[in-house]
Amino acid sequence: MAVQEYIRDRFFPQMWCEGCGHGTILNSLLRAIEDLGISKSDIVMTSGIGCSARISGYVDFHSLHTMHGRALACATGVKMAKPELNVIVPMGDGDALAIGGNHFIHACRRNIDMTAIVMNNRIYGMTGGQYSPLSGVGTMATTAPYSSIDNAFDVVKLAEAAGATFVARTTTYHVAEAVTYLKKAIQHKGFSVVEIMSQCPTYYGRKNKKGSAVNMLEWFKEITGKLGSKELEDNPSLIARGIFVDEDKPEYCSEYNKIIERASKR
Amino acid sequence: MAKKKLKEIAINQSWCKGCGICVAFCPKNVLELNDEGCSTAVRPEDCILCKLCEMRCPDLAIRVIEEEEEV
Amino acid sequence: MTKKIKFVQGNEACVEGALYAGCSFFAGYPITPSTEIAELLAARLPQHGGTFIQMEDEIAAMSAIIGASLTGKKVLTATSGPGFSLKQEAIGYACMAEVPCVVANVQRGGPSTGNPTHVAQGDINQARWGTHGDHSIIALTASNHQDIFQMTVDAFNLAETYRTPVILLFDEAVGHLRAKLEIPTEGELHVVDRLRTSLPEGVNYHPYLPREDGRLPMSDFGDVHRYNVTGLFHDMWGFPTADPTYINDLLHHLVDKIENNVKDITRYKEHFMDDAQYVLVSYGSSARSAIHLATERRLRGERLGVLELQSIWPFPKELIREKCDSARAVLVCEMNMGQLTAHVRAAVRKPNRVFLANRTDGKLISPLDIKRSLRMIQGRGV
């Protein structure tokens, strides 16, 4: 099967801007699912609001396009009610970490078996280029016309500290890596977070003079380094790519099943 | 194992938005943007089947189709 | 079969009703005075293989029940005061995406943190208009434990029938009152099951195309039909659309499916209404005092009746008109600044004959409070 077998092709060409990295994330995700051979009816994709959230309309799975920031909360309901389903939750940076920040840390803490993908383009694209909690100090945005003074979250550290049991980071330039990490994340029993740095040439790129999509992918190559590489060792200011956490811990639905067993004996 | 060779680089031009990612990062310069701004395979004979164009394409517009090499 | 009789809080009657109706999923967040519903379900649900989850906030709880409902479960959340405010975004989502779910709001004093441990009925209008945009909603209420049980079962039935969120507007007084509850035997009360599509795999299933009877058969997430659910205006497959015709049709459908069925949805009780010259319109724990007063005054030959509403939304305008138009005066008894009174006035031919008897200090409105207001209208001394 080709990746195209997993999409609702009547909605293509997709609505994202020319060169938007979100399409590449969709591409990588479908490749991961194809490699794993998961049946389309066994997947529920839950998204929030924003450019990222439109991803759920393009996939031929059960798709739940929810409210801004609430994707993980809705997904928790889906997963707890039917744990046999494979729940995948792509979110934007504002979606996951601003309005949805509370749901994000608590989903990590529960270690509920689902895959959260943070499609990090460091900007609110749908509303026209406002700064997000991942923009970082110095970013130009329509709501930061003199540059942002807001510190950014480090998603990897945040997810790890909150209790996620699989945490990885890559970019839309490093597509082979993205497919590998997404596969591992989906297979991982527990809460997985994959941050994929994604280019928004339309707003982030334009406002911050990063050039075209191609220039931004070159930039991702320059500013990141693989965990364990000499490159990263020599230049610690690079953003690390790789798998940061991969551990076995009691998963929430399995633990709740034990509660059911205990309660049924009463 | 039979060696694979390129059968076709199929580009769905109605989905391609012409971002140029496939063109810029093709290690063998197989692709170019045509007059309409869509990606086209101009030197398919140089393709090494790395499929990076297919994997990076945000529009899911590219398929690198392989076939077995005849012995 | 002997009936099970329990001595319980009103909140527990709600729990019993929910379980009777087939509720198998609850997500919530602790808040006074509704917390007992969560506590009791945390114990009861897993005993029957059901699921309880305490979420990180009210928003998440409401969101989680929406997700669970789409997998085919009957779902409940419970809240009070500020928690009900927080749930409004997702209640609107459930209206738009037509997700059956039940929200119990055990009312307390507001606005804001207000008066958590005391009674009020100030969420009447919020239940109707708390979320943004045009929509319609169903809200039920009850004044005693048997009715809380019945209305909870009805809430689940109506949620399934109309594919909509249903609000249970209880209040602190009835929620925390301990009284007798007779649990009906299985089959005694009608329970509406989830209507699922019978279409096989491969046949084009339209999750948002109403059948001739107006109902929309569902397909559970995980089953063979893969479709889209969104809070955007959508077409019959659930995909977003900006087509003006679709937008208009969907909005009208969301409102009409409820407003055109007011008769089917309306629930009420009449107490001494046959020859009543003065009508007390009331609901929830206020109705207890209204009924008490009417019972007492009847012994003295006073022609006083009570129309007890058990459904607030959609507002039973015609019922109000029919029952109140010939009355000398109508006294709406409620624990707010007259939220229902305004709607009763709008429903009758002579609005100047509609008066409010209220109490807004966190204390339960008493029969004497109502009697004082009544006497004032009548120009008589208490």
Side-chain angles (χ1 to χ4, degrees):
Chain A
M1 276 219 284
V3 159
Q4 283 76 6
E5 304 282 324
Y6 290 87
I7 60 175
R8 291 160 170 157
D9 58 7
R10 63 189 179 283
F11 300 120
F12 279 72
Q14 34 83 339
M15 52 78 78
W16 291 309
C17 301
E18 172 189 317
C20 172
H22 288 2
T24 308
I25 295 174
L26 169 64
N27 191 329
S28 299
L29 178 62
L30 295 177
R31 251 161 242 282
I33 289 164
E34 184 191 22
D35 284 358
L36 293 172
I38 307 170
S39 148
K40 294 194 268 190
S41 291
D42 289 341
I43 302 174
V44 178
M45 185 182 276
T46 305
S47 65
I49 293 293
C51 295
S52 63
R54 289 307 186 97
I55 194 170
S56 61
Y58 295 126
V59 293
D60 188 15
F61 311 137
H62 303 283
S63 57
L64 180 55
H65 177 227
T66 69
M67 298 149 280
H68 198 22
R70 318 294 173 222
L72 284 169
C74 291
T76 300
V78 171
K79 184 70 183 178
M80 281 296 279
K82 243 187 194 176
E84 65 271 28
L85 290 171
N86 222 307
V87 179
I88 300 174
V89 191
M91 295 169 287
D93 38 311
D95 199 30
L97 294 142
I99 194 163
N102 199 31
H103 308 310
F104 182 82
I105 55 174
H106 287 274
C108 292
R109 175 180 63 80
R110 283 188 196 102
N111 195 34
I112 187 163
D113 184 22
M114 56 177 76
T115 305
I117 304 165
V118 180
M119 303 163 77
N120 176 16
N121 58 13
R122 302 172 65 178
I123 204 95
Y124 287 88
M126 189 69 94
T127 45
Q130 298 75 32
Y131 68 94
S132 89
L134 298 190
S135 294
V137 173
T139 299
M140 298 299 287
T142 54
T143 46
Y146 309 107
S147 91
S148 172
I149 56 168
D150 279 41
N151 294 312
F153 274 133
D154 181 326
V155 184
V156 165
K157 284 184 182 161
L158 182 69
E160 182 178 357
T165 48
F166 182 94
V167 183
R169 179 195 283 132
T170 184
T171 85
T172 45
Y173 175 80
H174 305 88
V175 274
E177 232 171 72
V179 175
T180 308
Y181 296 170
L182 287 167
K183 272 164 72 175
K184 284 184 191 252
I186 293 166
Q187 281 177 305
H188 177 77
K189 181 120 177 114
F191 193 75
S192 316
V193 177
V194 181
E195 179 194 355
I196 305 182
M197 293 166 65
S198 176
Q199 72 276 16
C200 171
T202 305
Y203 291 111
Y204 189 91
R206 212 180 277 164
K207 281 269 167 200
N208 293 283
K209 303 198 164 43
K210 295 294 179 199
S212 67
V214 169
N215 299 137
M216 290 186 80
L217 289 184
E218 298 277 11
W219 180 55
F220 286 166
K221 197 163 68 167
E222 284 159 23
I223 61 167
T224 64
K226 185 107 186 234
L227 268 187
S229 69
K230 190 164 182 317
E231 195 188 2
L232 188 64
E233 205 178 300
D234 292 349
N235 190 356
S237 70
L238 295 179
I239 299 167
R241 300 190 325 271
I243 295 170
F244 299 82
V245 180
D246 187 359
E247 57 185 3
D248 258 341
K249 273 195 177 165
E251 189 274 327
Y252 198 76
C253 296
S254 308
E255 292 304 299
Y256 194 77
N257 270 337
K258 293 181 194 163
I259 296 283
I260 291 178
E261 274 171 40
R262 275 159 61 188
S264 320
K265 286 178 194 145
R266 291 256 175 119
Chain B
M1 217 170 80
K3 220 179 142 193
K4 296 251 174 80
K5 67 167 188 170
L6 180 73
K7 186 178 173 201
E8 189 195 353
I9 301 177
I11 301 175
N12 184 342
Q13 302 215 333
S14 65
W15 289 10
C16 171
K17 298 195 187 93
C19 66
I21 290 173
C22 55
V23 176
F25 297 106
C26 174
K28 293 289 172 190
N29 296 316
V30 172
L31 301 156
E32 276 180 18
L33 294 185
N34 65 17
D35 294 344
E36 274 95 53
C38 288
S39 177
T40 350
V42 288
R43 281 170 290 273
E45 64 279 7
D46 292 349
C47 176
I48 53 167
L49 300 176
C50 71
K51 296 195 178 180
L52 283 171
C53 56
E54 182 183 310
M55 290 173 77
R56 285 208 182 94
C57 177
D59 296 306
L60 308 185
I62 305 178
R63 286 179 73 177
V64 178
I65 303 165
E66 301 165 334
E67 63 184 357
E68 308 264 301
E69 186 130 42
E70 283 163 47
V71 187
Chain C
M1 214 163 137
T2 51
K3 275 192 186 161
K4 208 167 151 192
I5 294 175
K6 287 181 116 179
F7 185 64
V8 295
Q9 276 194 345
N11 283 344
E12 186 164 358
C14 172
V15 166
E16 293 291 352
L19 294 170
Y20 187 95
C23 171
S24 62
F25 190 100
F26 178 95
Y29 187 83
I31 188 161
T32 306
S34 77
T35 309
E36 294 83 5
I37 297 177
E39 289 174 339
L40 292 163
L41 282 168
R44 298 284 296 278
L45 277 169
Q47 292 174 350
H48 311 283
T51 308
F52 168 90
I53 185 167
Q54 182 171 311
M55 295 297 286
E56 55 272 20
D57 58 32
E58 300 276 4
I59 302 168
M62 189 64 214
S63 300
I65 66 165
I66 288 171
S69 179
L70 289 166
T71 71
K73 308 283 185 210
K74 286 192 179 179
V75 298
L76 174 71
T77 187
T79 190
S80 301
F84 192 49
S85 298
L86 285 171
K87 291 195 192 298
Q88 294 299 336
E89 177 197 30
I91 290 173
Y93 182 89
C95 288
M96 180 60 120
E98 301 187 68
V99 183
C101 54
V102 178
V103 181
N105 174 15
V106 186
Q107 295 171 89
R108 68 190 222 188
S112 190
T113 313
N115 202 355
T117 54
H118 291 83
V119 69
Q121 293 174 317
D123 302 347
I124 299 297
N125 283 328
Q126 196 193 10
R128 177 65 186 86
W129 294 113
T131 198
H132 59 277
D134 269 315
H135 64 288
S136 200
I137 198 100
I138 298 174
L140 308 181
T141 177
S143 66
N144 64 61
H145 291 39
Q146 213 57 49
D147 289 354
I148 287 180
F149 185 99
Q150 174 76 58
M151 286 306 120
T152 305
V153 174
D154 282 9
F156 279 92
N157 288 349
L158 292 168
E160 293 298 331
T161 305
Y162 294 101
R163 268 188 75 166
T164 183
V166 175
I167 316 286
L168 284 167
L169 276 176
F170 300 140
D171 58 63
E172 190 277 336
V174 75
H176 280 166
L177 181 77
R178 284 191 183 272
K180 187 178 104 170
L181 173 73
E182 239 183 61
I183 297 173
T185 52
E186 207 186 311
E188 196 177 330
L189 300 186
H190 178 55
V191 169
V192 176
D193 290 325
R194 174 74 46 100
L195 178 68
R196 291 184 171 86
T197 179
S198 54
L199 290 175
E201 189 168 10
V203 179
N204 205 345
Y205 162 66
H206 302 98
Y208 292 102
L209 183 67
R211 298 195 309 198
E212 228 165 79
D213 62 359
R215 291 190 68 186
L216 294 95
M218 298 184 74
S219 177
D220 299 345
F221 275 5
D223 280 357
V224 294
H225 300 289
R226 297 181 297 274
Y227 64 99
N228 192 54
V229 178
T230 178
L232 287 164
F233 277 98
H234 46 271
D235 61 20
M236 60 185 157
W237 291 277
F239 292 110
T241 176
D243 182 322
T245 315
Y246 277 110
I247 291 172
N248 196 52
D249 286 358
L250 177 54
L251 189 62
H252 280 261
H253 161 73
L254 294 179
V255 172
D256 291 350
K257 71 176 181 183
I258 291 170
E259 299 299 331
N260 290 349
N261 288 294
V262 177
K263 258 205 168 132
D264 175 54
I265 298 165
T266 297
R267 275 127 176 91
Y268 66 99
K269 275 182 165 176
E270 294 179 74
H271 309 269
F272 318 108
M273 281 293 288
D274 285 351
D275 60 345
Q277 290 175 331
Y278 289 89
V279 173
L280 307 177
V281 175
S282 196
Y283 54 91
S285 55
S286 300
R288 301 177 72 93
S289 295
I291 297 162
H292 184 94
L293 177 68
T295 313
E296 184 193 280
R297 297 318 300 168
R298 278 280 162 178
L299 296 173
R300 308 282 176 100
E302 209 175 315
R303 284 160 70 185
L304 186 61
V306 180
L307 176 62
E308 182 192 350
L309 296 185
Q310 295 177 295
S311 66
I312 305 283
W313 307 114
F315 190 68
K317 209 172 167 176
E318 284 181 23
L319 174 81
I320 296 285
R321 191 176 300 151
E322 181 198 324
K323 302 290 177 191
C324 299
D325 256 359
S326 54
R328 285 192 192 162
V330 177
L331 189 57
V332 183
C333 317
E334 52 183 341
M335 286 178 282
N336 57 48
M337 300 290 276
Q339 294 192 22
L340 196 86
T341 309
H343 296 282
V344 173
R345 282 198 180 116
V348 297
R349 264 188 288 269
K350 291 176 180 157
N352 57 351
R353 287 193 192 168
V354 178
F355 301 90
L356 165 68
N358 68 345
R359 188 144 189 173
T360 53
D361 59 355
K363 297 286 177 199
L364 181 69
I365 190 167
S366 68
L368 185 62
D369 293 327
I370 300 171
K371 193 168 139 193
R372 280 196 188 113
S373 301
L374 184 66
R375 293 296 180 250
M376 217 184 302
I377 299 163
Q378 293 167 329
R380 291 166 55 189
V382 182

